[in-house]
Amino acid sequence: MQELVLKLQHAAAGFPLLMVGLGKLDDPAERPIAILEITIAALVLGTFARDAWAARKHHHVHDSVGWFDLAAAAMMMFEAFHGAHHKPGYLRPQFFSAVVTIGLALFHTKLHAYKTRKRYVKLDEHGLEARTGPFRKFRLGWADLHRVHLAHDKATFHRRDGKKHKIALRMLHNHEEVRKHLADHARAAGVNLETLS
């Protein structure tokens, strides 16, 4: 969801670009630029809608290329070179932003794989190990736990010594599966289990 909020900034810029392009269609001299503006805006808005739909359905789209990022980069590149400016297009901030965004789009799969390795939950009959961030990792044995509280979006582990550990399940790409296995393992180990849907 956080990624979607960041994408919203570029998607919001797609609407004015679309309106400007539609407004220029009647002028034959402006028609080529208008078609380019409409195409770029449609790509930005379309790829954003696709990502928003996937986020709503809790289905993560991980293509080999970040299509929204490529569309947003095309829009920034257009902004860098379109219109009269004192600086050449390649010296404008939009150009540098577009180049960085293209890099992010092309390395989308590798960046996602790195992010997935940073967050995980491993379960077995002895306990669990969880990494919830770059510097947050813990290991618990089932015998160390008094109670496990499972909500739809988080898991809270209450230790016998009174300490607690939490996992934001939505941060995991397979959160539904992890939630089910946590419940199964906790029951099998005889740990008190509270579940909320």
Side-chain angles (χ1 to χ4, degrees):
M1 192 57 138
Q2 185 179 4
E3 287 178 22
L4 202 60
V5 172
L6 295 172
K7 290 177 180 181
L8 185 59
Q9 174 185 350
H10 293 299
F15 283 109
L17 187 63
L18 180 64
M19 294 299 114
V20 168
L22 290 171
K24 291 179 184 175
L25 273 179
D26 291 337
D27 184 352
E30 292 284 339
R31 194 168 291 141
I33 292 294
I35 291 170
L36 182 60
E37 289 170 336
I38 292 167
T39 302
I40 291 171
L43 287 171
V44 169
L45 296 171
T47 53
F48 177 78
R50 175 182 180 252
D51 290 355
W53 181 85
R56 186 173 181 270
K57 297 288 184 184
H58 308 298
H59 169 67
H60 298 276
V61 178
H62 295 295
D63 299 318
S64 57
V65 172
W67 295 111
F68 176 82
D69 292 333
L70 279 180
M75 186 169 63
M76 288 184 275
M77 199 68 78
F78 177 78
E79 290 171 1
F81 287 97
H82 184 66
H85 302 289
H86 299 306
K87 292 182 184 178
Y90 60 85
L91 291 178
R92 302 194 71 225
Q94 293 93 332
F95 176 80
F96 294 110
S97 295
V99 170
V100 170
T101 305
I102 289 169
L104 291 173
L106 296 178
F107 292 101
H108 179 78
T109 301
K110 289 186 179 182
L111 291 170
H112 173 67
Y114 172 73
K115 184 178 172 183
T116 301
R117 283 195 303 271
K118 282 194 326 186
R119 293 189 179 102
Y120 64 83
V121 176
K122 293 180 183 176
L123 300 164
D124 62 25
E125 66 274 7
H126 304 294
L128 67 110
E129 179 182 312
R131 184 181 192 100
T132 57
F135 307 107
R136 293 176 45 201
K137 181 178 175 181
F138 64 88
R139 177 179 265 293
L140 293 170
W142 295 116
D144 300 328
L145 292 174
H146 166 67
R147 179 168 48 105
V148 174
H149 178 86
L150 283 177
H152 183 69
D153 59 343
K154 70 180 174 182
T156 307
F157 304 94
H158 299 266
R159 292 175 20 174
R160 294 189 185 279
D161 62 8
K163 294 181 182 176
K164 290 193 287 189
H165 297 276
K166 292 184 182 181
I167 298 174
L169 295 176
R170 288 198 184 271
M171 299 300 284
L172 303 168
H173 71 282
N174 59 341
H175 61 274
E176 293 292 344
E177 185 181 345
V178 170
R179 186 178 190 275
K180 179 189 180 307
H181 288 299
L182 276 170
D184 292 345
H185 278 282
R187 281 191 198 101
V191 176
N192 293 329
L193 180 66
E194 295 176 1
T195 58
L196 289 175
S197 32

